[in-house]
Amino acid sequence: MMARHGIISHCLLLLFFCPRAEVEVGRPYSSNPPLPAEDNSTTEDSNIQIRLNRLKRNVNQQPEYVIDVEVSTNGSNLDILLNPLLKNLSYPIELPIDSVNGTFNITDITLTTVCESVNNEIRCTCERQFTWNLTFCTKYQSCSANIIKDQTCDCIKDYPTEGTFCELKPITTTPTQSTAPTRTTTNAQTTPTTVSKTTSTTATTLPTTLVKQTFAIKLQNIIYTDELRNSSSTLYKKFKRDFKTQFETAYKGVRSDAIVNILGFTNGSINVVYDVFSNQALTSAEIEASKTTLKDNLDRYTPEFIASSEIPCYDSVYGTTNFNTIAEIPCDGNEGVMKRKCEKNGKYDEILNFCISAAINNILQETNSTDLAKNFSSLLAQLTNATAAAEEDITSPGNVQAVVTILTTFSNVNVTVDETDLGNFLETVSAVIATTSIETWKILTTTTTDVNPSSQLLQSVERFTTRLNLTRNSLEIKTDNLQLSAAKIVPQGNVSDIDVTFENFTIMEYSNLSAKIFIARKELENAQNGAVINIAYPTWIDILPNNTNFGNNFLINGLVVTITLSAMKAVNIEMTFTPRNASLDFNTAKCAFWDFSGRGEWNSTGCTSESNEGNSIKCNCEHLTSFSILMSPVTRDDKALDKITKIGVAISIGSLLITIIIEAIVWKYVTKNKTSYIRHVGILNIAVNLLVADIWFIVASEVNPQTGICTAATFFIHFFYLALFFWMLTLGLLLAYRVLFIFHDFSKSAMMGISLSIGYLAPLIISVITIGVTYPRNSYTREEACWLSWKEEYPLLAFIIPALTIIAINTIILIVVIYKMLRPTIGDRPRGYNQEKDTLKQIVRSIAVLTPILGLTWAFGIPTFQENSNITFHYIFTILNAFQGFFILIFGTCMDKKVREALMKKFSLAGLSSRTKTVQSTSTAKPFSKPKYGFAAKKKNYDLTRQLYSNDNNNLLSYSTLS
């Protein structure tokens, strides 16, 4: 215990020589404002975080202030020793300041808040007449379990991160003018604070809440050392003091009430994490302004601000840790560690208990002894008892990981295993793969960087069972979480078929699972003396990862079974699995074994699968290990879509070839003006690009993924489909140009230059950038198909975004065209019923013509992006786009009147209808028929009068055909 004068001197030093002390005058009194909270290792810098915002209250108009002081100490029961001392002090305490300002009188020093560690739990307790308000009691939980709802409390279970301390209990008094002097208070212990004891005209108000904002900055050209982990080190104190000053200067430049609290440092070169407190949140402009100033001040460090989503995490117990990194602290009283992962936005994830119980830890230590083979059976029995005795704790991550390590060690011991040893081993396995441990296994999978623990345990089971010396003909073991069936093999005797069925599991959610294993006797005739051991585990379906070497989009959908032969002979086996989810597509089922190489994955090599009668999958494999079936959760069991696609693409290719041939035949007849020329150039390029894309589509469906040909096919499909869309955009823009800018004109060379740039240059740039960025990172194509991947860098967006953008633009253009059709021209008489009907027909016809040419049919694919979308959208999308080449032939070529006329001239067709002859003679004999399609003619031939007064709606078709 310090001497009396020593304590007071320390408090006074805090009060008067603190560089953080501030005085605020002219503001109404409020209870103590929050201070930045810090941990137990607070340095001299953290002892002087003082906030002075009290208004003077004295009839003599003398300046009087209430000062909050935070004092940290490692002493115990210091509050008990301090209270009598503070109570017996003689007030006022006169402290000379200097010869000019006179003296400073301290009228009272009061202890308000004491924070200390109790049973590894931080508790902050209020002294005497002070209390925590309801907000803090709710947020941090009261120490008392009997707290009344919506009431204050005297103790909370953590440091308030807001920095606020206990406040005076609300007391209502008669409204009178205060004559009592304001008494300055102070405190001691881990995290104390002070509150003025003044007479108030109303109930004491709640404290002002400061807004906390957390930031982090990366400083280069500076080396991180382990010293910066220790808040008591000289380097830590120096850095904290220096950076605090510079940071606070920058933020006070935009907000005078800003207070900066340095939380800690992490490596990277050095990442500085800090809080900024102010009465109101800093605006975006203020933050940017302060960052600019701070960058200028720290220019020698090449500063770089860390994005808010990736700033390091800070906690008084777990310290400061970088984003996506796991912090660890030792367990209290046990071996192991407690872990917390730093997630986004500087928030720690939930605490992970990697502590190891004493009994399991003792066995873990003994497995490292040289006499393990001698004590093998007894240690295995001890482990079984330990896991059974710790039912509630055995499934914690620390204990499960320790048990896996122990069982792995046991499986590697070169000793013979009897039935008792096997029973103890499997009981322990059953305990750690219970349904209550499923979340634990997920944690272990995500936090372990080397061997996957679940893969490690499964391999231990296989190794252990191969050393079984079965003394009886058969052995059956059943627990809630596994079933075993073993059969002895004596080659000299009558070897029987192995025919085992696993079913009727006691856990309800796995009760529908079953598996049948069959090994023909001929496979075992040449085997050595030994045993075939079959084990089925229902819970492994939710424990083992789903990662495979044949695609990402698969889920384990059956029992996991382990089949081993103590003689280690490879044999052919047949397995029949009942799937967990029978609604999935059976055509996607893959029979696979667990490959232990690396971190482990499912591998289908050496296994074949076929759908069996009923809801089951039959597998044939040519080796022994652990097996299951995997199925795609999203692939649709609809063969009709595949047939429609194949038929549609074939018809589309034939139609596109016909379109190209027709265009070549009629080219000189239909390209006599600029607009018609550009339109037919667009139609021809659309046909060519779609034809080439469809051909590459067929090639891609026949080659193996993850090959060079697959990559080439993906690139060309991407490029030619993009070119298809951009040529559709070209036609859409040409249509909009001729509809909206009737009197404007471009030269043919300019229009061709624009069209070629849009049609080929833009898709080439997009496709080249996409493959250039994603291919080196192995994320360009999908693992299961030759198409752009939807993982990691999301290269598929390089197709989806341009396509959807073009669809949106062309949809707007179509709406504009329809609007132009519906709007009456100047001088038109009111339309009759027949005219309205003709107009409606023309609109419908224009939509039919424009929709496939402008690519609007692809809009029906938007709903198919969502999983479990209605099958109707898939049918509509497949039909419209598989047959797109056919629709282009019909609506883009055959419905074009000029193309038909040109074909008639070319082949001198006879027997045409009188209406067709009339149209043909009119188009060749009457000089005014050309201006009828005014926007397609030259400006000097445009007949405005005919456009203004004609009631003939045939000209409306020209908006869609651009002839």
PDB file of all heavy atoms in Angstrom, residues 11 15 54 65-70 86 91 106-112 129-130 182-187 193-198:
ATOM      1  N   CYS A  11      -2.527  11.321  -7.900  1.00  0.00           N
ATOM      2  CA  CYS A  11      -3.796  11.840  -8.423  1.00  0.00           C
ATOM      3  C   CYS A  11      -3.637  13.264  -8.914  1.00  0.00           C
ATOM      4  O   CYS A  11      -4.180  13.657  -9.943  1.00  0.00           O
ATOM      5  CB  CYS A  11      -4.881  11.769  -7.352  1.00  0.00           C
ATOM      6  SG  CYS A  11      -5.337  10.078  -6.906  1.00  0.00           S
ATOM      7  N   LEU A  15      -4.205  15.089 -12.547  1.00  0.00           N
ATOM      8  CA  LEU A  15      -5.146  16.197 -12.731  1.00  0.00           C
ATOM      9  C   LEU A  15      -4.513  17.381 -13.436  1.00  0.00           C
ATOM     10  O   LEU A  15      -5.138  18.016 -14.284  1.00  0.00           O
ATOM     11  CB  LEU A  15      -5.700  16.652 -11.379  1.00  0.00           C
ATOM     12  CG  LEU A  15      -6.709  15.712 -10.711  1.00  0.00           C
ATOM     13  CD1 LEU A  15      -6.987  16.178  -9.294  1.00  0.00           C
ATOM     14  CD2 LEU A  15      -7.986  15.681 -11.499  1.00  0.00           C
ATOM     15  N   ARG A  54     -17.650  20.123 -17.524  1.00  0.00           N
ATOM     16  CA  ARG A  54     -18.587  20.532 -16.472  1.00  0.00           C
ATOM     17  C   ARG A  54     -18.709  22.054 -16.443  1.00  0.00           C
ATOM     18  O   ARG A  54     -17.744  22.774 -16.685  1.00  0.00           O
ATOM     19  CB  ARG A  54     -18.117  20.035 -15.091  1.00  0.00           C
ATOM     20  CG  ARG A  54     -17.856  18.532 -15.042  1.00  0.00           C
ATOM     21  CD  ARG A  54     -19.164  17.779 -15.081  1.00  0.00           C
ATOM     22  NE  ARG A  54     -18.966  16.386 -14.828  1.00  0.00           N
ATOM     23  CZ  ARG A  54     -18.818  15.493 -15.791  1.00  0.00           C
ATOM     24  NH1 ARG A  54     -18.867  15.860 -17.023  1.00  0.00           N
ATOM     25  NH2 ARG A  54     -18.645  14.228 -15.481  1.00  0.00           N
ATOM     26  N   TYR A  65     -14.840  23.066 -11.474  1.00  0.00           N
ATOM     27  CA  TYR A  65     -14.941  22.013 -12.472  1.00  0.00           C
ATOM     28  C   TYR A  65     -15.036  20.647 -11.804  1.00  0.00           C
ATOM     29  O   TYR A  65     -14.530  20.442 -10.704  1.00  0.00           O
ATOM     30  CB  TYR A  65     -13.728  22.014 -13.422  1.00  0.00           C
ATOM     31  CG  TYR A  65     -13.407  23.374 -13.974  1.00  0.00           C
ATOM     32  CD1 TYR A  65     -12.403  24.155 -13.413  1.00  0.00           C
ATOM     33  CD2 TYR A  65     -14.121  23.871 -15.060  1.00  0.00           C
ATOM     34  CE1 TYR A  65     -12.114  25.413 -13.912  1.00  0.00           C
ATOM     35  CE2 TYR A  65     -13.840  25.135 -15.574  1.00  0.00           C
ATOM     36  CZ  TYR A  65     -12.836  25.916 -14.994  1.00  0.00           C
ATOM     37  OH  TYR A  65     -12.561  27.136 -15.502  1.00  0.00           O
ATOM     38  N   VAL A  66     -15.679  19.768 -12.498  1.00  0.00           N
ATOM     39  CA  VAL A  66     -15.674  18.353 -12.100  1.00  0.00           C
ATOM     40  C   VAL A  66     -14.748  17.625 -13.061  1.00  0.00           C
ATOM     41  O   VAL A  66     -14.902  17.723 -14.271  1.00  0.00           O
ATOM     42  CB  VAL A  66     -17.087  17.748 -12.173  1.00  0.00           C
ATOM     43  CG1 VAL A  66     -17.021  16.264 -11.862  1.00  0.00           C
ATOM     44  CG2 VAL A  66     -17.997  18.464 -11.208  1.00  0.00           C
ATOM     45  N   ILE A  67     -13.778  16.906 -12.533  1.00  0.00           N
ATOM     46  CA  ILE A  67     -12.752  16.263 -13.356  1.00  0.00           C
ATOM     47  C   ILE A  67     -12.823  14.752 -13.159  1.00  0.00           C
ATOM     48  O   ILE A  67     -12.801  14.267 -12.028  1.00  0.00           O
ATOM     49  CB  ILE A  67     -11.342  16.781 -12.997  1.00  0.00           C
ATOM     50  CG1 ILE A  67     -11.285  18.307 -13.163  1.00  0.00           C
ATOM     51  CG2 ILE A  67     -10.285  16.095 -13.854  1.00  0.00           C
ATOM     52  CD1 ILE A  67      -9.986  18.899 -12.741  1.00  0.00           C
ATOM     53  N   ASP A  68     -12.937  14.005 -14.268  1.00  0.00           N
ATOM     54  CA  ASP A  68     -12.902  12.542 -14.218  1.00  0.00           C
ATOM     55  C   ASP A  68     -11.469  12.080 -14.427  1.00  0.00           C
ATOM     56  O   ASP A  68     -10.810  12.503 -15.372  1.00  0.00           O
ATOM     57  CB  ASP A  68     -13.776  11.941 -15.318  1.00  0.00           C
ATOM     58  CG  ASP A  68     -15.249  12.218 -15.077  1.00  0.00           C
ATOM     59  OD1 ASP A  68     -15.588  12.510 -13.934  1.00  0.00           O
ATOM     60  OD2 ASP A  68     -16.030  12.123 -16.043  1.00  0.00           O
ATOM     61  N   VAL A  69     -11.004  11.197 -13.567  1.00  0.00           N
ATOM     62  CA  VAL A  69      -9.643  10.695 -13.654  1.00  0.00           C
ATOM     63  C   VAL A  69      -9.684   9.175 -13.648  1.00  0.00           C
ATOM     64  O   VAL A  69     -10.403   8.580 -12.842  1.00  0.00           O
ATOM     65  CB  VAL A  69      -8.780  11.210 -12.482  1.00  0.00           C
ATOM     66  CG1 VAL A  69      -7.367  10.629 -12.569  1.00  0.00           C
ATOM     67  CG2 VAL A  69      -8.736  12.725 -12.483  1.00  0.00           C
ATOM     68  N   GLU A  70      -8.922   8.546 -14.541  1.00  0.00           N
ATOM     69  CA  GLU A  70      -8.816   7.093 -14.577  1.00  0.00           C
ATOM     70  C   GLU A  70      -7.439   6.689 -14.083  1.00  0.00           C
ATOM     71  O   GLU A  70      -6.423   7.180 -14.565  1.00  0.00           O
ATOM     72  CB  GLU A  70      -9.026   6.579 -16.004  1.00  0.00           C
ATOM     73  CG  GLU A  70      -8.903   5.075 -16.119  1.00  0.00           C
ATOM     74  CD  GLU A  70      -9.105   4.629 -17.546  1.00  0.00           C
ATOM     75  OE1 GLU A  70      -9.629   5.431 -18.343  1.00  0.00           O
ATOM     76  OE2 GLU A  70      -8.727   3.483 -17.858  1.00  0.00           O
ATOM     77  N   LEU A  86      -9.275   8.812   1.588  1.00  0.00           N
ATOM     78  CA  LEU A  86      -9.887   9.947   0.907  1.00  0.00           C
ATOM     79  C   LEU A  86     -10.901  10.652   1.792  1.00  0.00           C
ATOM     80  O   LEU A  86     -11.055  11.872   1.754  1.00  0.00           O
ATOM     81  CB  LEU A  86     -10.568   9.460  -0.389  1.00  0.00           C
ATOM     82  CG  LEU A  86      -9.637   8.849  -1.444  1.00  0.00           C
ATOM     83  CD1 LEU A  86     -10.447   8.343  -2.625  1.00  0.00           C
ATOM     84  CD2 LEU A  86      -8.610   9.864  -1.909  1.00  0.00           C
ATOM     85  N   TYR A  91     -10.260  19.080   3.439  1.00  0.00           N
ATOM     86  CA  TYR A  91     -10.615  19.854   2.254  1.00  0.00           C
ATOM     87  C   TYR A  91     -10.871  21.306   2.662  1.00  0.00           C
ATOM     88  O   TYR A  91     -11.330  21.581   3.781  1.00  0.00           O
ATOM     89  CB  TYR A  91     -11.862  19.272   1.575  1.00  0.00           C
ATOM     90  CG  TYR A  91     -11.685  17.861   1.081  1.00  0.00           C
ATOM     91  CD1 TYR A  91     -12.227  16.783   1.778  1.00  0.00           C
ATOM     92  CD2 TYR A  91     -10.967  17.609  -0.083  1.00  0.00           C
ATOM     93  CE1 TYR A  91     -12.065  15.487   1.333  1.00  0.00           C
ATOM     94  CE2 TYR A  91     -10.816  16.304  -0.528  1.00  0.00           C
ATOM     95  CZ  TYR A  91     -11.358  15.243   0.178  1.00  0.00           C
ATOM     96  OH  TYR A  91     -11.197  13.962  -0.278  1.00  0.00           O
ATOM     97  N   ILE A 106      -8.912  21.828  -4.376  1.00  0.00           N
ATOM     98  CA  ILE A 106      -9.635  20.567  -4.557  1.00  0.00           C
ATOM     99  C   ILE A 106     -10.585  20.428  -3.381  1.00  0.00           C
ATOM    100  O   ILE A 106     -10.172  20.398  -2.225  1.00  0.00           O
ATOM    101  CB  ILE A 106      -8.656  19.383  -4.595  1.00  0.00           C
ATOM    102  CG1 ILE A 106      -7.688  19.542  -5.785  1.00  0.00           C
ATOM    103  CG2 ILE A 106      -9.406  18.057  -4.694  1.00  0.00           C
ATOM    104  CD1 ILE A 106      -6.652  18.465  -5.868  1.00  0.00           C
ATOM    105  N   THR A 107     -11.893  20.353  -3.671  1.00  0.00           N
ATOM    106  CA  THR A 107     -12.892  20.301  -2.602  1.00  0.00           C
ATOM    107  C   THR A 107     -13.339  18.895  -2.257  1.00  0.00           C
ATOM    108  O   THR A 107     -13.922  18.678  -1.195  1.00  0.00           O
ATOM    109  CB  THR A 107     -14.123  21.129  -3.008  1.00  0.00           C
ATOM    110  OG1 THR A 107     -14.667  20.577  -4.203  1.00  0.00           O
ATOM    111  CG2 THR A 107     -13.757  22.589  -3.232  1.00  0.00           C
ATOM    112  N   ASP A 108     -13.127  17.933  -3.140  1.00  0.00           N
ATOM    113  CA  ASP A 108     -13.535  16.567  -2.817  1.00  0.00           C
ATOM    114  C   ASP A 108     -12.899  15.593  -3.792  1.00  0.00           C
ATOM    115  O   ASP A 108     -12.722  15.901  -4.972  1.00  0.00           O
ATOM    116  CB  ASP A 108     -15.069  16.442  -2.890  1.00  0.00           C
ATOM    117  CG  ASP A 108     -15.553  15.103  -2.338  1.00  0.00           C
ATOM    118  OD1 ASP A 108     -14.817  14.502  -1.545  1.00  0.00           O
ATOM    119  OD2 ASP A 108     -16.656  14.683  -2.716  1.00  0.00           O
ATOM    120  N   ILE A 109     -12.536  14.419  -3.298  1.00  0.00           N
ATOM    121  CA  ILE A 109     -12.033  13.328  -4.131  1.00  0.00           C
ATOM    122  C   ILE A 109     -12.853  12.097  -3.783  1.00  0.00           C
ATOM    123  O   ILE A 109     -12.874  11.667  -2.637  1.00  0.00           O
ATOM    124  CB  ILE A 109     -10.537  13.058  -3.890  1.00  0.00           C
ATOM    125  CG1 ILE A 109      -9.710  14.327  -4.152  1.00  0.00           C
ATOM    126  CG2 ILE A 109     -10.044  11.916  -4.772  1.00  0.00           C
ATOM    127  CD1 ILE A 109      -8.248  14.166  -3.846  1.00  0.00           C
ATOM    128  N   THR A 110     -13.557  11.554  -4.768  1.00  0.00           N
ATOM    129  CA  THR A 110     -14.480  10.449  -4.510  1.00  0.00           C
ATOM    130  C   THR A 110     -14.204   9.287  -5.458  1.00  0.00           C
ATOM    131  O   THR A 110     -14.054   9.485  -6.655  1.00  0.00           O
ATOM    132  CB  THR A 110     -15.943  10.904  -4.694  1.00  0.00           C
ATOM    133  OG1 THR A 110     -16.173  12.029  -3.862  1.00  0.00           O
ATOM    134  CG2 THR A 110     -16.902   9.776  -4.339  1.00  0.00           C
ATOM    135  N   LEU A 111     -14.152   8.096  -4.899  1.00  0.00           N
ATOM    136  CA  LEU A 111     -14.010   6.879  -5.689  1.00  0.00           C
ATOM    137  C   LEU A 111     -15.385   6.469  -6.219  1.00  0.00           C
ATOM    138  O   LEU A 111     -16.342   6.413  -5.472  1.00  0.00           O
ATOM    139  CB  LEU A 111     -13.426   5.761  -4.816  1.00  0.00           C
ATOM    140  CG  LEU A 111     -13.006   4.478  -5.520  1.00  0.00           C
ATOM    141  CD1 LEU A 111     -11.823   4.729  -6.422  1.00  0.00           C
ATOM    142  CD2 LEU A 111     -12.643   3.421  -4.476  1.00  0.00           C
ATOM    143  N   THR A 112     -15.491   6.196  -7.532  1.00  0.00           N
ATOM    144  CA  THR A 112     -16.799   5.879  -8.127  1.00  0.00           C
ATOM    145  C   THR A 112     -16.873   4.479  -8.730  1.00  0.00           C
ATOM    146  O   THR A 112     -17.878   3.790  -8.588  1.00  0.00           O
ATOM    147  CB  THR A 112     -17.150   6.882  -9.237  1.00  0.00           C
ATOM    148  OG1 THR A 112     -16.252   6.687 -10.318  1.00  0.00           O
ATOM    149  CG2 THR A 112     -17.068   8.300  -8.745  1.00  0.00           C
ATOM    150  N   GLN A 129     -23.041   5.699  -3.741  1.00  0.00           N
ATOM    151  CA  GLN A 129     -24.243   6.282  -4.327  1.00  0.00           C
ATOM    152  C   GLN A 129     -24.224   6.289  -5.856  1.00  0.00           C
ATOM    153  O   GLN A 129     -25.055   6.924  -6.480  1.00  0.00           O
ATOM    154  CB  GLN A 129     -24.442   7.728  -3.838  1.00  0.00           C
ATOM    155  CG  GLN A 129     -23.466   8.760  -4.427  1.00  0.00           C
ATOM    156  CD  GLN A 129     -22.199   8.907  -3.601  1.00  0.00           C
ATOM    157  OE1 GLN A 129     -21.733   7.925  -3.025  1.00  0.00           O
ATOM    158  NE2 GLN A 129     -21.685  10.113  -3.524  1.00  0.00           N
ATOM    159  N   PHE A 130     -23.270   5.576  -6.447  1.00  0.00           N
ATOM    160  CA  PHE A 130     -23.169   5.561  -7.899  1.00  0.00           C
ATOM    161  C   PHE A 130     -23.784   4.275  -8.472  1.00  0.00           C
ATOM    162  O   PHE A 130     -23.930   3.279  -7.772  1.00  0.00           O
ATOM    163  CB  PHE A 130     -21.707   5.687  -8.336  1.00  0.00           C
ATOM    164  CG  PHE A 130     -21.064   6.944  -7.833  1.00  0.00           C
ATOM    165  CD1 PHE A 130     -20.268   6.930  -6.696  1.00  0.00           C
ATOM    166  CD2 PHE A 130     -21.286   8.146  -8.473  1.00  0.00           C
ATOM    167  CE1 PHE A 130     -19.684   8.085  -6.232  1.00  0.00           C
ATOM    168  CE2 PHE A 130     -20.708   9.312  -8.010  1.00  0.00           C
ATOM    169  CZ  PHE A 130     -19.907   9.291  -6.883  1.00  0.00           C
ATOM    170  N   THR A 182     -18.824  23.036  -5.827  1.00  0.00           N
ATOM    171  CA  THR A 182     -18.594  21.814  -6.598  1.00  0.00           C
ATOM    172  C   THR A 182     -17.356  21.118  -6.066  1.00  0.00           C
ATOM    173  O   THR A 182     -16.336  21.746  -5.831  1.00  0.00           O
ATOM    174  CB  THR A 182     -18.405  22.161  -8.087  1.00  0.00           C
ATOM    175  OG1 THR A 182     -19.550  22.829  -8.536  1.00  0.00           O
ATOM    176  CG2 THR A 182     -18.171  20.902  -8.905  1.00  0.00           C
ATOM    177  N   ARG A 183     -17.456  19.818  -5.876  1.00  0.00           N
ATOM    178  CA  ARG A 183     -16.344  19.079  -5.283  1.00  0.00           C
ATOM    179  C   ARG A 183     -15.714  18.176  -6.345  1.00  0.00           C
ATOM    180  O   ARG A 183     -16.340  17.282  -6.873  1.00  0.00           O
ATOM    181  CB  ARG A 183     -16.858  18.237  -4.111  1.00  0.00           C
ATOM    182  CG  ARG A 183     -17.470  19.108  -3.020  1.00  0.00           C
ATOM    183  CD  ARG A 183     -18.391  18.327  -2.116  1.00  0.00           C
ATOM    184  NE  ARG A 183     -17.658  17.286  -1.397  1.00  0.00           N
ATOM    185  CZ  ARG A 183     -18.273  16.366  -0.656  1.00  0.00           C
ATOM    186  NH1 ARG A 183     -19.580  16.358  -0.559  1.00  0.00           N
ATOM    187  NH2 ARG A 183     -17.558  15.458  -0.025  1.00  0.00           N
ATOM    188  N   THR A 184     -14.454  18.436  -6.614  1.00  0.00           N
ATOM    189  CA  THR A 184     -13.748  17.625  -7.592  1.00  0.00           C
ATOM    190  C   THR A 184     -13.497  16.247  -7.031  1.00  0.00           C
ATOM    191  O   THR A 184     -13.102  16.107  -5.874  1.00  0.00           O
ATOM    192  CB  THR A 184     -12.409  18.292  -7.939  1.00  0.00           C
ATOM    193  OG1 THR A 184     -12.660  19.597  -8.403  1.00  0.00           O
ATOM    194  CG2 THR A 184     -11.676  17.486  -9.014  1.00  0.00           C
ATOM    195  N   THR A 185     -13.746  15.214  -7.828  1.00  0.00           N
ATOM    196  CA  THR A 185     -13.604  13.842  -7.336  1.00  0.00           C
ATOM    197  C   THR A 185     -12.606  13.080  -8.173  1.00  0.00           C
ATOM    198  O   THR A 185     -12.379  13.390  -9.340  1.00  0.00           O
ATOM    199  CB  THR A 185     -14.959  13.116  -7.406  1.00  0.00           C
ATOM    200  OG1 THR A 185     -15.356  13.063  -8.757  1.00  0.00           O
ATOM    201  CG2 THR A 185     -16.020  13.830  -6.600  1.00  0.00           C
ATOM    202  N   THR A 186     -12.022  12.076  -7.570  1.00  0.00           N
ATOM    203  CA  THR A 186     -11.112  11.200  -8.322  1.00  0.00           C
ATOM    204  C   THR A 186     -11.307   9.781  -7.831  1.00  0.00           C
ATOM    205  O   THR A 186     -12.164   9.522  -6.986  1.00  0.00           O
ATOM    206  CB  THR A 186      -9.646  11.642  -8.180  1.00  0.00           C
ATOM    207  OG1 THR A 186      -8.878  10.866  -9.074  1.00  0.00           O
ATOM    208  CG2 THR A 186      -9.126  11.441  -6.756  1.00  0.00           C
ATOM    209  N   ASN A 187     -10.510   8.838  -8.297  1.00  0.00           N
ATOM    210  CA  ASN A 187     -10.711   7.453  -7.957  1.00  0.00           C
ATOM    211  C   ASN A 187      -9.434   6.666  -8.145  1.00  0.00           C
ATOM    212  O   ASN A 187      -8.420   7.194  -8.561  1.00  0.00           O
ATOM    213  CB  ASN A 187     -11.807   6.853  -8.829  1.00  0.00           C
ATOM    214  CG  ASN A 187     -11.520   7.087 -10.281  1.00  0.00           C
ATOM    215  OD1 ASN A 187     -10.484   7.640 -10.618  1.00  0.00           O
ATOM    216  ND2 ASN A 187     -12.418   6.673 -11.149  1.00  0.00           N
ATOM    217  N   THR A 193     -13.703   6.160 -12.142  1.00  0.00           N
ATOM    218  CA  THR A 193     -14.057   7.460 -12.682  1.00  0.00           C
ATOM    219  C   THR A 193     -14.599   8.337 -11.571  1.00  0.00           C
ATOM    220  O   THR A 193     -14.652   7.917 -10.423  1.00  0.00           O
ATOM    221  CB  THR A 193     -15.107   7.324 -13.800  1.00  0.00           C
ATOM    222  OG1 THR A 193     -15.310   8.587 -14.381  1.00  0.00           O
ATOM    223  CG2 THR A 193     -16.416   6.816 -13.251  1.00  0.00           C
ATOM    224  N   THR A 194     -15.041   9.541 -11.898  1.00  0.00           N
ATOM    225  CA  THR A 194     -15.509  10.471 -10.878  1.00  0.00           C
ATOM    226  C   THR A 194     -16.764  11.156 -11.307  1.00  0.00           C
ATOM    227  O   THR A 194     -17.027  11.330 -12.494  1.00  0.00           O
ATOM    228  CB  THR A 194     -14.446  11.542 -10.621  1.00  0.00           C
ATOM    229  OG1 THR A 194     -14.222  12.237 -11.834  1.00  0.00           O
ATOM    230  CG2 THR A 194     -13.133  10.938 -10.175  1.00  0.00           C
ATOM    231  N   VAL A 195     -17.553  11.565 -10.335  1.00  0.00           N
ATOM    232  CA  VAL A 195     -18.779  12.295 -10.593  1.00  0.00           C
ATOM    233  C   VAL A 195     -18.924  13.382  -9.533  1.00  0.00           C
ATOM    234  O   VAL A 195     -18.652  13.152  -8.361  1.00  0.00           O
ATOM    235  CB  VAL A 195     -20.008  11.362 -10.559  1.00  0.00           C
ATOM    236  CG1 VAL A 195     -21.275  12.140 -10.807  1.00  0.00           C
ATOM    237  CG2 VAL A 195     -19.867  10.274 -11.610  1.00  0.00           C
ATOM    238  N   SER A 196     -19.350  14.571  -9.909  1.00  0.00           N
ATOM    239  CA  SER A 196     -19.526  15.677  -8.973  1.00  0.00           C
ATOM    240  C   SER A 196     -20.709  15.433  -8.053  1.00  0.00           C
ATOM    241  O   SER A 196     -21.719  14.885  -8.447  1.00  0.00           O
ATOM    242  CB  SER A 196     -19.746  16.981  -9.753  1.00  0.00           C
ATOM    243  OG  SER A 196     -20.125  17.997  -8.879  1.00  0.00           O
ATOM    244  N   LYS A 197     -20.594  15.877  -6.798  1.00  0.00           N
ATOM    245  CA  LYS A 197     -21.691  15.762  -5.840  1.00  0.00           C
ATOM    246  C   LYS A 197     -22.271  17.154  -5.628  1.00  0.00           C
ATOM    247  O   LYS A 197     -21.965  17.836  -4.656  1.00  0.00           O
ATOM    248  CB  LYS A 197     -21.175  15.181  -4.521  1.00  0.00           C
ATOM    249  CG  LYS A 197     -20.638  13.770  -4.657  1.00  0.00           C
ATOM    250  CD  LYS A 197     -19.970  13.290  -3.396  1.00  0.00           C
ATOM    251  CE  LYS A 197     -20.957  13.214  -2.272  1.00  0.00           C
ATOM    252  NZ  LYS A 197     -20.353  12.671  -1.035  1.00  0.00           N
ATOM    253  N   THR A 198     -23.085  17.591  -6.551  1.00  0.00           N
ATOM    254  CA  THR A 198     -23.671  18.927  -6.469  1.00  0.00           C
ATOM    255  C   THR A 198     -25.167  18.812  -6.265  1.00  0.00           C
ATOM    256  O   THR A 198     -25.785  17.819  -6.598  1.00  0.00           O
ATOM    257  CB  THR A 198     -23.414  19.711  -7.773  1.00  0.00           C
ATOM    258  OG1 THR A 198     -24.008  18.994  -8.834  1.00  0.00           O
ATOM    259  CG2 THR A 198     -21.932  19.887  -8.021  1.00  0.00           C
TER     260      THR A 198
END
